[in-house]
Amino acid sequence: MTRDQVIAHCETCLKYEFDAAMLAPCWTPLALEILRGSRSHVASAFSFPNGNDSTAMKVAMVHSLVEGDVFDFDFTANTGFLLSDMESEFLTDLKAVADAARSAGAQTKVILEFGLLPSESLRRRAAELAIDAGIDFLKQSSGFVNGVPATPEDVAFLHRIAAGRARVKASGKINSRAKAQALIAAGASLLGTSSAVAIVTGKQPELTSVY
């Protein structure tokens, strides 16, 4: 994104009172200047989209964002650990991020990338371990990997597993009001989408996200 696109993104969030503007860490200081005092806050993402940063790098990013007044972020789980039967390492990685965030009063949303988890049992285990780690939101996809869209079935699956212990964020090809409403009805508390304006107005999408 360019600086002008970031400004436009934030102004759209202000106009429609979306919950948050999701931006790369390098743009959060500018976004905070624009959104401070409004109903929209600044959110960010790290270890995105592949989750392969070390645990220490992820924790350092939590501290960096919090020190910059950003208390809401998505990050990608290390799917390779889970696919390698390294559940302990998978859990330790998630818990380190969740603990660092919680101690600073921040919330975490983990991307589990269902497109890389070929079985229901693996998806269930990923969700269970994320909940055990203390993650606040479970997210079924970044929308980037393997083209996996958000579906009511996947959202309902995570919602059942969470059972009130975590909430669910949906992301991936949410490009109509009907899709958005179906995902919310299935149990999603947040939606990540680049079609937010189209969803709420029926107009052509502007560059934005809604959470």
Side-chain angles (χ1 to χ4, degrees):
M1 294 178 74
T2 66
R3 186 178 189 277
D4 287 345
Q5 288 174 321
V6 171
I7 292 171
H9 175 78
C10 293
E11 289 177 345
T12 298
C13 289
L14 284 172
K15 179 178 178 179
Y16 294 99
E17 297 187 333
F18 294 143
D19 184 61
M22 174 62 71
L23 292 160
C26 64
W27 292 117
T28 58
L30 174 60
L32 284 165
E33 290 180 17
I34 300 169
L35 296 178
R36 200 179 302 277
S38 74
R39 292 183 62 179
S40 297
H41 68 272
V42 178
S44 192
F46 58 88
S47 203
F48 184 85
N50 54 33
N52 287 335
D53 293 330
S54 70
T55 301
M57 291 168 69
K58 293 175 184 177
V59 171
M61 184 59 76
V62 171
H63 292 315
S64 177
L65 286 167
V66 167
E67 288 168 5
D69 289 333
V70 177
F71 296 89
D72 182 7
F73 28 78
D74 294 20
F75 73 103
T76 312
N78 192 321
T79 308
F81 283 168
L82 193 62
L83 292 173
S84 302
D85 294 323
M86 296 167 61
E87 286 195 359
S88 176
E89 289 84 352
F90 185 83
L91 175 62
T92 297
D93 187 62
L94 296 179
K95 190 174 187 305
V97 175
D99 288 350
R102 184 172 296 105
S103 66
Q107 68 176 7
T108 50
K109 302 190 291 292
V110 68
I111 303 165
L112 300 175
E113 289 296 13
F114 277 14
L116 298 178
L117 299 173
S119 68
E120 180 178 312
S121 61
L122 274 172
R123 295 177 177 188
R124 178 179 296 277
R125 193 62 185 140
E128 290 171 342
L129 289 168
I131 293 167
D132 290 344
I135 297 295
D136 298 301
F137 282 85
L138 309 177
K139 182 177 173 183
Q140 95 298 337
S141 173
S142 65
F144 286 90
V145 177
N146 287 359
V148 175
T151 66
E153 292 77 16
D154 284 344
V155 167
F157 175 76
L158 287 177
H159 185 66
R160 287 194 301 272
I161 294 170
R165 297 172 293 168
R167 290 186 283 174
V168 178
K169 175 183 174 181
S171 180
K173 296 181 173 60
I174 306 172
N175 51 19
S176 72
R177 182 175 298 186
K179 286 185 180 180
Q181 290 173 331
L183 295 167
I184 293 169
S189 298
L190 296 175
L191 305 179
T193 175
S194 58
S195 302
V197 175
I199 289 169
V200 299
T201 68
K203 298 178 182 178
Q204 285 297 106
E206 297 177 33
L207 183 62
T208 191
S209 297
V210 57
Y211 292 88

